Structures are given as C-alpha cells and as structure tokens.
C-alpha cells in the first residue's frame, strides 16, 4: 500500500488532466480497500489458527452462516 501510494503521489505532482487526477483518487480508494481486505484476512487466519490450536469446532448454525457468507463472496456481492 505504501509503495503504491508513494508512486501515485509522485505521478500526481506532475501536470495531469482532471481525468487522470480522478483515476488517481480512485486508485487511492482501491488500495485502501485492498489493505483493509488483507487485514481482515489476516485476522480471520489468526482466529482459525487459535480455533485449531485449542481443538475447537464450529457448530452447525455457525457453519451454515459462514457458508452463506462464502457463497455471497464467491458471487461477488
């Protein structure tokens, strides 16, 4: 995220069109969202690791909810 933002800052210092400036602003939002997704993935990984280390399992209702979420993610919602 940092490296991409640094690059976009450098590009933005040049004389660019309004369309290019809009694209750069959109890219900032995208890299922020991707960073957030990465952080969430890491947190989920830590939770699953703790679950496994402690020999815990998910009950059926929770698994059903997780599967519903996964189906939505795969569909792109």
């Amino acid at each position: 995220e940092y490296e991409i933002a640094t690059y976009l800052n450098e590009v933005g210092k040049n004389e660019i069109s309004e369309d290019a400036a809009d694209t750069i602003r959109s890219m900032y939002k995208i890299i922020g969202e991707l960073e957030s997704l990465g952080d969430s993935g890491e947190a989920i990984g830590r939770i699953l690791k703790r679950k496994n280390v402690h020999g815990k399992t998910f009950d059926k209702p929770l698994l059903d909810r997780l599967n519903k979420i996964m189906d939505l993610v795969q569909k792109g919602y």
Side-chain angles (χ1 to χ4, degrees):
E1 177 187 24
Y2 175 78
E3 288 86 2
I4 295 170
T6 300
Y7 175 78
L8 291 175
N9 283 335
E10 288 302 314
V11 170
K13 289 179 182 177
N14 298 314
E15 190 171 320
I16 57 174
S17 69
E18 189 59 38
D19 285 342
D22 288 342
T23 299
I24 289 173
R25 282 189 288 277
S26 294
M27 289 179 177
Y28 278 119
K29 290 178 185 177
I30 291 168
I31 61 174
E33 292 297 325
L34 289 173
E35 176 69 18
S36 179
L37 284 171
D39 291 345
S40 296
E42 255 188 301
I44 290 168
R46 285 192 304 272
I47 291 166
L48 292 174
K49 184 176 180 180
R50 283 195 311 264
K51 177 189 86 61
N52 292 336
V53 164
H54 296 288
K56 302 291 182 178
T57 59
F58 293 139
D59 62 13
K60 174 87 168 92
L62 181 58
L63 285 173
D64 290 343
R65 288 178 36 215
L66 289 171
N67 285 328
K68 184 176 180 180
I69 291 169
M70 291 302 298
D71 289 343
L72 292 172
V73 169
Q74 287 178 348
K75 289 178 183 175
Y77 293 109

